[in-house]
Structures are given as structure tokens and as C-alpha cells.
Amino acid sequence: MKKVDAKSLIVGVVAIVGIATASVSPVLAQSNGQTYQANLTELNGSGTTGTATVTTNGRQVTVKVNTTGASANLVHGQHIRIGGQGTCPGPNADTNKSGFVNTVEGKPFYGEVKVSLTTQGSTGTDSALAADRYPKADAKGNVTYTRTFTLPSGVNAQDLANAVVVQHGISKLYDKPDQYDGHPRSTVSKDLPFEATAPAACGTLSSTPAGGVNTGGGATAGIESSATIALGATALVAAGALVVVRKKAIHL
Ligand SMILES: [Cu+2]
């Protein structure tokens, strides 16, 4: 077998470095066509669970939220919250020992309202409490929501990597179980009953590689696995390039 000459080796190395650069950068930098997923689990014994997906196309997003076990025939405020720890509050978030984690107590964990998942009109922070523009649960307690819109100003697609989806509204906490009633007022607005804004379900968004499984490992899990896939692909391509270089050397 003929030896690989120096020129071929240099060509090969340059090709591999080029391929490696080309493969890794776009995956890490890309925000278009990214899908984020969250498994929503109950808060405050609501019995509400579900899923949320956010698919980006530049600054345009399609958001789907599906929950079951929500308070039937009632409106459910829901938001993408950003700027906290990117997590859902646990029982120890109940700092005032009321027995419930209220909206304010949850903020250090899930952050502030940055996107209001309304059915129409503004999706900005100004719509956080727009009770007449949120989806209503059907008679069985199912909430089905899909909307495509442009991210409000101040929110970037990249922010979704450390974001949390929260759905609100638990009618069974006080007095009549099928209405938002009871004396306690909401911790975010004296105009609303506590039950209307009480966090009912929460889930952290994580990016899902195409064909991948959401392990619920948080935002970085998806990014790491994307990078790993890119590196794996680079190794494969690099191996292929070496074969090509060898073949070329042989044919020279
Ligand atoms: Cu919220």
C-alpha cells in the first residue's frame, strides 16, 4: 500500500477542521425551527397536568398547551415566565405557610410573566391578567390552546431555553368548588379572587432535538445533546473524510 503523502494529509486535516466548524456552529447558534417542550405537573393539589410545546421560526412562535383536570368551564390564565431559576416551585416555596404556593411565592422559581398565552390580542406582559382573553376549560376540565404569534418585544427566542410555562386557576380551594370565589384576594391583583390566579400547573421548557425524547432534564439537557449529536456527526464525517483522503492518496 502506498504511503499517504504530506500534501494529502494537509488537505485532509483542513477538510476535517472545516467540516467540524461547519457542523458545530449552526446547531449551537440556531434558534429557528427549535422546539421546546414542557410536561406540566400540578401545583397546589389542582389535579391539572398536561403538556406545552413552543416551536420557533425566528421571532414567530407556535404555542400549544393541553391540560386535563383543570377547573371546568372556567378561564385559565397561562404564561411563559422567564428570569427566575427556570424551575417550578416546590412545597417549600410557601413562605407565608398558607398551605398554598401563590403566584408571587412562585416567582423566584419560574420568574416573571414575559409572554401571556392569550387567545387573541396582545401577548405581552400587559395582558398578564386579561381574564377575558385566556382559554376556558371545557365541561370535562380540558384546556386546548394553540396560537401562532410574534414574540412580544423584550423576549427573544433564545430566552425560551430557560423558561417555564404556568397555567393558573383552581376553583376548588375555597367555598363553591366550581367557581372562582372565596374571600382571599389574588396576590397579584385585588380585583381577582385568589382561586383565579393560583398556580395550577407548571413545567419547564426544554429544547428537544429532532426525534429526541424530552427527559425533563431542564433547558441545558437539550442544548448539550444537540452539541453531542453535532460532535458525533462531525466525528462520523471526519472519519469519512479520512477514508476519502486515503483513497485519494492511493490513487495518486
Ligand atoms: Cu403565570
Side-chain angles (χ1 to χ4, degrees):
M1 180 175 147
K2 209 172 174 182
K3 272 171 70 179
V4 176
D5 62 37
K7 193 181 163 192
S8 299
L9 264 181
I10 291 164
V11 169
V13 168
V14 169
I16 290 162
V17 171
I19 289 159
T21 311
S23 320
V24 175
S25 324
V27 172
L28 292 178
Q30 191 173 21
S31 63
N32 287 2
Q34 190 85 35
T35 299
Y36 297 90
Q37 231 176 25
N39 293 319
L40 306 185
T41 55
E42 70 164 11
L43 285 175
N44 295 314
S46 67
T48 307
T49 58
T51 57
T53 61
V54 182
T55 307
T56 66
N57 180 9
R59 292 191 53 75
Q60 185 175 286
V61 291
T62 297
V63 180
K64 297 182 185 193
V65 180
N66 290 300
T67 57
T68 59
S71 301
N73 302 313
L74 293 170
V75 161
H76 292 273
Q78 48 181 19
H79 313 111
I80 297 176
R81 311 190 63 125
I82 296 168
Q85 296 171 21
T87 60
C88 292
N92 60 355
D94 177 23
T95 49
N96 70 359
K97 306 290 177 205
S98 67
F100 301 113
V101 174
N102 64 50
T103 300
V104 171
E105 287 171 333
K107 276 187 190 179
F109 301 89
Y110 49 55
E112 300 283 344
V113 173
K114 292 294 180 184
V115 182
S116 296
L117 299 174
T118 53
T119 52
Q120 55 180 318
S122 158
T123 56
T125 305
D126 56 326
S127 293
L129 297 171
D132 55 336
R133 289 191 287 116
Y134 283 107
K136 213 179 208 182
D138 67 14
K140 291 179 174 173
N142 299 316
V143 179
T144 307
Y145 172 84
T146 305
R147 189 176 176 190
T148 299
F149 56 91
T150 302
L151 285 171
S153 63
V155 182
N156 298 312
Q158 289 84 348
D159 297 334
L160 297 169
N162 193 33
V164 179
V165 174
V166 178
Q167 191 177 77
H168 302 261
I170 313 172
S171 62
K172 66 183 178 185
L173 300 181
Y174 299 101
D175 297 352
K176 295 174 185 166
D178 57 350
Q179 292 175 30
Y180 292 145
D181 57 7
H183 293 301
R185 296 282 90 189
S186 167
T187 53
V188 285
S189 169
K190 289 195 172 86
D191 297 334
L192 293 169
F194 181 91
E195 291 181 323
T197 64
C202 178
T204 60
L205 287 173
S206 38
S207 61
T208 48
V213 176
N214 180 8
T215 57
T220 52
I223 291 167
E224 277 164 12
S225 45
S226 298
T228 308
I229 289 163
L231 287 172
T234 303
L236 279 176
V237 173
L242 266 181
V243 170
V244 170
V245 168
R246 279 197 189 131
K247 275 186 182 163
K248 270 186 183 163
I250 289 163
H251 287 297
L252 277 173

